[in-house]
Amino acid sequence: MPELITPSARLHASWLDAQAEWGADAHMDGAGLGADDDVESAEGFAAWTERLRRQADRTAAVEQGRVHATYWWIAEGDTYLGAIDLRHYLNAFLLDAGGHIGYSVRPSARRRGLAGRALGQVLHEARLMGMDRVLLTCDPGNEPSRRTIEGAGGVLEDVRDTLVGPKRRYWVTL
């Protein structure tokens, strides 16, 4: 049964398999992967997963351009299926284009309802953190993500051009 887990170096091989499905240069929403992160070596991958775990600590500083966020991986046993994150607050870029929550599911695991179940669990976490509404965005042509967001109660605010292209912007009241 798929579950949300804390990012873990033990899933290195499975994560690399998932990355290969997307393609090495693909952006994986909700993964927190930066251009400088070394995910190929075991040491680099372990350092990256540790950075993801630390980013949830509101008492610790975060890197320039980032906000505090909690990351989870969608996993089934030792198989990485996807990622979802909850950004604790928004900076200007996230308010315009990124939102509070980002998620992605590896291509071979899609059409199983994983994103919707993960989103429901993370919306619960947002409530526990005291948030009263969250912003989610998706590309205008991403119908599966649109359906997932709307299925979670997302109400379309607008479609706008952003620094990363056009985005549909939805608010979910918690």
Side-chain angles (χ1 to χ4, degrees):
M1 180 69 146
E3 61 182 329
L4 296 185
I5 65 167
T6 302
S8 171
R10 76 178 170 81
L11 294 184
H12 186 204
S14 182
W15 189 93
L16 288 173
D17 289 344
Q19 184 188 40
E21 286 181 24
W22 271 295
D25 294 330
H27 175 73
M28 295 176 280
D29 290 322
L33 183 62
D36 295 334
D37 289 316
D38 166 22
V39 294
E40 297 298 321
S41 73
E43 298 80 18
F45 192 82
W48 174 59
T49 58
E50 176 59 28
R51 180 180 60 79
L52 293 179
R53 290 189 298 273
R54 278 193 324 267
Q55 205 163 329
D57 180 356
R58 297 281 295 262
T59 66
V62 292
E63 297 171 24
Q64 179 72 21
R66 293 199 177 267
V67 299
H68 289 96
T70 304
Y71 292 89
W72 294 273
W73 286 354
I74 307 164
E76 193 165 32
D78 287 335
T79 303
Y80 173 91
L81 302 173
I84 188 165
D85 74 327
L86 172 61
R87 297 150 194 148
H88 300 182
Y89 48 90
L90 300 176
N91 59 20
F93 171 77
L94 293 173
L95 179 61
D96 186 48
H100 286 97
I101 298 172
Y103 57 84
S104 57
V105 175
R106 72 189 287 174
S108 63
R110 293 179 182 160
R111 304 189 57 81
R112 294 175 45 190
L114 296 172
R117 285 195 299 275
L119 179 56
Q121 291 176 16
V122 171
L123 290 172
H124 176 72
E125 293 295 326
R127 273 187 219 95
L128 293 176
M129 290 181 66
M131 296 180 178
D132 58 0
R133 69 183 192 143
V134 296
L135 176 67
L136 288 98
T137 70
C138 69
D139 292 343
N142 188 340
E143 287 301 309
S145 192
R146 180 193 61 78
R147 286 191 304 271
T148 297
I149 295 168
E150 290 176 356
V155 176
L156 182 66
E157 179 179 60
D158 62 16
V159 179
R160 66 174 65 169
D161 288 322
T162 72
L163 291 172
V164 293
K167 292 291 177 184
R168 295 177 64 91
R169 298 174 68 255
Y170 292 87
W171 288 95
V172 176
T173 301
L174 302 175

